[in-house]
Amino acid sequence: MFNNSTTRNVSVCAPNFDAVSNTSLVTNYIDIAVRFVSVCVHLVYAAIVLNVKKLRNSSYMLMHHVNLVSFIYVLQYMAFISQRTLLFGNLITLEIVLCTISELSWSVFRFLRTYSILLLAIYRYISVNNIQLLRKLNRKKNLLLIICCTWLAALLLTLVLKFSLSTTYSVFFCSPGYSDSIVLILINFVMVNFLSNVLPTTFILVLYVSISRKINKSKAKLRKRVADNKVSQSASSSSGSNELCKTKAIELKFAKQFFFINLISVLASLCSIFVDFLMVFASHRNFCYFDVLFMEFRPVIRVLFLICQSFIPVLSIFYNPEFDFKAKIKTFFGQ
């Protein structure tokens, strides 16, 4: 099935999927540069985590998982720098194997990209609502089990959708969701994006609103307590109040981090949805002209997507109470 479908698509769309240098040189170089920068940003995040002992605490495992998924997702783009598809001359079998693997990996990490953030949202929700459950959850083996279940769910969803709709990969970036039937392409597009973007993002939004309300209530109680402490002028109460202020400040910082990561994730999803659908749709024998029409536009959207993904590790560090980002910047510049 893969061999016939791939050969037919290549023969029809071949004039348009040669080297990526067919596009504007400026757009091309920006696209490639952003890919490398994105990889470097994720590597810097990993280096910081390895050098700051407190960041290796189990409470940050799900945050690191979000960045790991983002990093692997970005790495996939590095395999398609010089070509928009995998070409090995007469080695058709190798092309089929690698494109099939790539098709599955694109799909799995499409789910994981948003599900890892949903997992973090659930964790943050528990942290402000149920301390006892959080303590049980914070064991590394429990967190690893939850992460493994998330990966398994992403893989199962990928396989179920692929085989139930009989889709394969397109000739552009070996993108998943291609079919000779336009109806099946549309059905796959709607189902995948509902399950991988709309549904988890909706849950994340609900959890964020709940977390924000809880923190606002805590802040109101904190103000009242601080006011009461000032009246009583009790040293012990003042000490306890300072500790509570510190705890709530950390919660607020995490809430901001979570909000911006979710916002970035939504923007990245919008870019990804448009480009992925266009690449799969343009692979169809009746719509190859879409490739020519959007050849310059598609890399620009891809650059925006990669920039959004690069912000995830930056936000993870910038809003982390264990790492004074501003102080490190001042030290770096000798101020």
Side-chain angles (χ1 to χ4, degrees), residues 180-197:
D180 288 332
S181 168
I182 297 175
V183 174
L184 284 181
I185 290 177
L186 292 172
I187 292 174
N188 180 80
F189 174 77
V190 171
M191 291 185 67
V192 166
N193 283 289
F194 175 76
L195 292 173
S196 68
N197 288 301

Side-chain angles (χ1 to χ4, degrees), residues 39-97:
V39 169
C40 290
V41 168
H42 283 82
L43 289 176
V44 169
Y45 174 85
I48 291 173
V49 171
L50 291 174
N51 281 279
V52 180
K53 187 177 181 180
K54 289 183 179 180
L55 291 179
R56 298 198 294 274
N57 190 288
S58 60
S59 59
Y60 294 114
M61 276 186 66
L62 296 183
M63 186 74 257
H64 300 332
H65 178 241
V66 169
N67 283 279
L68 175 64
V69 170
S70 176
F71 178 53
I72 298 175
Y73 201 90
V74 168
L75 274 182
Q76 292 180 100
Y77 283 96
M78 303 300 286
F80 298 92
I81 285 182
S82 61
Q83 297 280 350
R84 286 191 286 162
T85 192
L86 295 170
L87 294 174
F88 296 96
N90 295 323
L91 302 176
I92 301 299
T93 303
L94 182 59
E95 290 175 25
I96 293 170
V97 170

Side-chain angles (χ1 to χ4, degrees), residues 54-257:
K54 289 183 179 180
L55 291 179
R56 298 198 294 274
N57 190 288
S58 60
S59 59
Y60 294 114
M61 276 186 66
L62 296 183
M63 186 74 257
H64 300 332
H65 178 241
V66 169
N67 283 279
L68 175 64
V69 170
S70 176
F71 178 53
I72 298 175
Y73 201 90
V74 168
L75 274 182
Q76 292 180 100
Y77 283 96
M78 303 300 286
F80 298 92
I81 285 182
S82 61
Q83 297 280 350
R84 286 191 286 162
T85 192
L86 295 170
L87 294 174
F88 296 96
N90 295 323
L91 302 176
I92 301 299
T93 303
L94 182 59
E95 290 175 25
I96 293 170
V97 170
L98 292 177
C99 261
T100 302
I101 293 172
S102 184
E103 172 197 3
L104 293 174
S105 64
W106 282 123
S107 296
V108 169
F109 282 95
R110 179 184 293 168
F111 284 105
L112 282 173
R113 192 170 58 81
T114 48
Y115 282 17
S116 62
I117 298 175
L118 174 59
L119 202 59
L120 180 63
I122 295 171
Y123 179 84
R124 294 280 168 81
Y125 175 81
I126 293 172
S127 69
V128 298
N129 286 280
N130 194 326
I131 298 298
Q132 296 301 321
L133 179 59
L134 180 68
R135 287 172 181 169
K136 294 178 181 178
L137 191 64
N138 258 348
R139 296 170 186 168
K140 286 187 178 180
K141 62 179 181 180
N142 292 338
L143 291 171
L144 284 172
L145 179 61
I146 292 170
I147 289 171
C148 288
C149 288
T150 306
W151 281 65
L152 181 61
L155 179 60
L156 288 176
L157 283 170
T158 295
L159 295 176
V160 167
L161 288 171
K162 173 179 170 56
F163 290 110
S164 63
L165 296 175
S166 299
T167 58
T168 182
Y169 54 84
S170 74
V171 295
F172 300 111
F173 293 98
C174 302
S175 300
Y178 178 82
S179 172
D180 288 332
S181 168
I182 297 175
V183 174
L184 284 181
I185 290 177
L186 292 172
I187 292 174
N188 180 80
F189 174 77
V190 171
M191 291 185 67
V192 166
N193 283 289
F194 175 76
L195 292 173
S196 68
N197 288 301
V198 177
L199 197 60
T201 300
T202 302
F203 280 125
I204 290 169
L205 180 61
V206 171
L207 290 170
Y208 176 76
V209 170
S210 178
I211 292 169
S212 298
R213 286 178 177 174
K214 179 71 175 181
I215 291 175
N216 288 334
K217 287 180 181 178
S218 298
K219 285 171 66 179
K221 291 179 180 178
L222 179 62
R223 292 192 194 100
K224 186 177 184 302
R225 183 170 176 175
V226 170
D228 292 342
N229 286 336
K230 286 181 178 179
V231 172
S232 63
Q233 294 182 345
S234 169
S236 59
S237 296
S238 178
S239 176
S241 176
N242 290 336
E243 188 64 30
L244 187 60
C245 283
K246 184 178 179 181
T247 301
K248 295 308 172 185
I250 290 173
E251 287 183 357
L252 186 60
K253 202 167 188 179
F254 277 136
K256 288 180 179 179
Q257 179 197 68

